[in-house]
Each structure stands twice: as C-alpha cells, then as structure tokens.
C-alpha cells in the first residue's frame, strides 16, 4: 500500500474507506504499481496484478480507473 500512497500523493489512507475516498489512481498508475509489485504478487499476469492493486487501493479509500472493470476488460485495454 506504500506504493499506492506514493502514486496517489497522500500520506495515509482513509479511516472509513467505504465512505471516505482520499485519492484516485489512473489506469496507468495502477499498471505501474502492479508492474513493480508483480514479483511479490500471486498473479499470473499483469491484469490480475492490477486487480490485486485495485483491491488494496479500495481498502485504503483510494479509487481507481480499474474499479468495476473485469480482468478481461483490463487485458483488452492493455492491448
């Protein structure tokens, strides 16, 4: 989550992430975090890694452009 906070340019996440959103990450920012964390994640490809990053971001009160996208939609957007 430190990488997410750095990309979002915030010092801490939300105390109430379901209600209070503290930042937003673009698709490219989520991809950058996923690529950096890929060796540590239990993900078979970058799309799954991005979904993992999105889940962590959501739990911290950070919205992403990946919210609501399926793994297949992410993969298609990646090309």
């Amino acid at each position: 989550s430190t990488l997410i906070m750095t990309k979002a340019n915030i010092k801490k996440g939300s105390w109430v992430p379901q209600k209070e959103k503290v930042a937003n990450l673009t698709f490219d920012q989520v991809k950058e975090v996923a690529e950096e964390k890929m060796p540590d994640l239990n993900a078979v490809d970058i799309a799954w890694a991005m979904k993992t990053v999105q889940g962590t971001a959501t739990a911290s009160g950070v919205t992403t452009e990946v919210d609501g996208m399926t793994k297949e939609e992410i993969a298609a957007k990646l090309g």
Side-chain angles (χ1 to χ4, degrees):
S1 67
T2 303
L3 284 173
I4 292 169
M5 301 303 167
T6 302
K7 290 287 181 191
N9 200 25
I10 57 175
K11 294 183 193 249
K12 62 180 182 172
S14 171
W15 285 97
V16 188
Q18 299 84 2
K19 295 181 181 180
E20 178 190 4
K21 305 303 177 189
V22 293
N24 183 60
L25 291 179
T26 65
F27 186 89
D28 289 335
Q29 287 174 315
V30 174
K31 182 181 175 196
E32 289 169 11
V33 173
E35 288 172 340
E36 195 166 337
K37 290 296 293 175
M38 190 71 175
D40 301 326
L41 298 175
N42 187 18
V44 294
D45 60 23
I46 193 66
W48 272 124
M50 289 176 70
K51 287 299 287 180
T52 302
V53 170
Q54 180 260 325
T56 302
T58 300
S60 301
V62 177
T63 59
T64 72
E65 290 181 359
V66 180
D67 291 352
M69 293 178 75
T70 65
K71 178 209 176 253
E72 291 76 18
E73 291 169 331
I74 293 169
K77 189 167 180 176
L78 288 169

